[in-house]
Amino acid sequence: MAKYRCNSCGGTYSDVLQDGTAYYHACGPIHNPAFNLDSAKGPLDTRDSIERPNKRDENAPVTLRVVNGKPVLVTADVHDATRQIETPAASLIVSEGAGRTLVPDAAL
Amino acid sequence: MTTIQALPLQPGASGGSYIPREDTFEVLTAKPLVGFLSRAVQPPSRVYLSAQDTFLVQWFANFVGPQITVRGRLLKPDGSIVPFQQTFPTASPFTSNGGTFKLAEGFLLSLSVQNDNQNNFSQWCYCTVDLQRPAQGPTAPFDRLAQGYVNGSNLTMAWPQSSLRLPDSGQGTPRVWIGTMPAAGSEISETVPTGVRWKLKSFDAFLNTSVAAATRQPYVQIRNASGQQIITMGSPATVGAAGTLELMVSQFGVNWGTILSTIFFALPDVYLEQGWKITTGTGGLQAGDQYTAPVILVNEYAAPGL
């Protein structure tokens, strides 16, 4: 079972779990340096965490469909409610980030 | 009630013979009040397929490689019954996969859907079968024939017998999710995959601390897809330098406290939608501290945007 290291966050994972189900890695959020709940100290920002820059997210885009073996992004046709518009999908995942690296077994 | 005459003496199955008793051998059915035609019979189906009608089969699975097979029988206008079979391989898990096929003109008599390539009870496949026009692409269907889980070749979905089953009906599929081991000094974060809903049952991870002197106090949070905190589960328990602390979060009802370097948090009864996150947060976390990959038990449901 192959292991990968995410080049964006440094996390290590298998993309297929022991029971054969799929695992999709997504980098976690990071601390928000602008987090501030005291207006006397500066602009308020109630988000204690923010998304990591160049985040990798292997999940499928919500609009992704595979139609007769071809991945497409599906959107509603505003001119005809009975039809949907398909455009070729450039990627099967939400964001590549900095990619991932196969981890040799000996390194685990 | 009609009594018939006794049969003549006949050889029995064991080579002997028996004599039917006239007083107990009775026909219990009455003569039918209706008759049936042998020609120009009304077909036993509400679905008549034209040459333009297309089957749209869509499925969504949490594993690589389910093979969906659709089988059925078609009554053609010339009176002949034709069996058919169509197989679709899956391209990508956690993605709506779709395929189309057409049949000849006629009455649809039966249809069944099987998943022929499943080998674990943690795996599931949710499937729908629609009729639509035109032939290609996911246009709006005008008739849904079947929808439900097709988990393994023995759990077949069939038309017209099966009822339409919603993705979140039933108990879900128990699944053990082994997440990412974060880099040293980083927190755990797991994201609910696209197209599924989780009923969170438990969360377990270890924190191994470095020799840096500090008091670490971990907690577990649930965040929505926008990153907003929904729930924080914590404990007064802490761990110092060069130590190990296990975080065990489950539906205990109350916080049990710390037992043998394990802290037990109570987990609320909550559903997690796609894109929601389960994260740790650790007061005093040091650069050399290392979390293990979390082991998360969920009941998983399909929630695809089919």
Side-chain angles (χ1 to χ4, degrees), chain A residues 42-98:
Chain A
L44 289 176
D45 190 340
T46 59
R47 302 170 301 156
D48 66 338
S49 64
I50 56 174
E51 293 292 351
R52 179 184 300 270
N54 204 23
K55 167 187 176 182
R56 179 173 178 82
D57 186 347
E58 297 179 352
N59 284 292
V62 174
T63 57
L64 179 69
R65 306 283 186 274
V66 179
V67 181
N68 289 323
K70 298 176 183 175
V72 295
L73 298 177
V74 176
T75 53
D77 186 342
V78 296
H79 303 293
D80 183 353
T82 67
R83 294 188 60 81
Q84 295 172 321
I85 298 173
E86 299 172 359
T87 54
S91 174
L92 297 178
I93 67 177
V94 173
S95 58
E96 297 280 354

Side-chain angles (χ1 to χ4, degrees), chain A residues 9 11-13 17 19-26 28-29 48-49 51 59-60 62 64-68 82-84 86, chain B residues 62-63 93-100 120 122-123 136-140 175 177 180-181 189-190 193-194 223 229 305:
Chain A
C9 71
T12 309
Y13 61 95
L17 302 182
D19 58 9
T21 56
Y23 175 78
Y24 285 169
H25 168 76
D48 66 338
S49 64
E51 293 292 351
N59 284 292
V62 174
L64 179 69
R65 306 283 186 274
V66 179
V67 181
N68 289 323
T82 67
R83 294 188 60 81
Q84 295 172 321
E86 299 172 359
Chain B
N62 73 343
F63 64 104
F94 293 123
T95 305
S96 176
N97 294 263
T100 57
N120 193 290
S122 297
Q123 301 170 349
Q136 298 297 321
T139 61
R175 184 177 180 208
W177 175 272
T180 296
M181 182 178 75
S189 176
E190 296 300 325
T194 303
R223 297 172 180 270
Q229 301 172 39

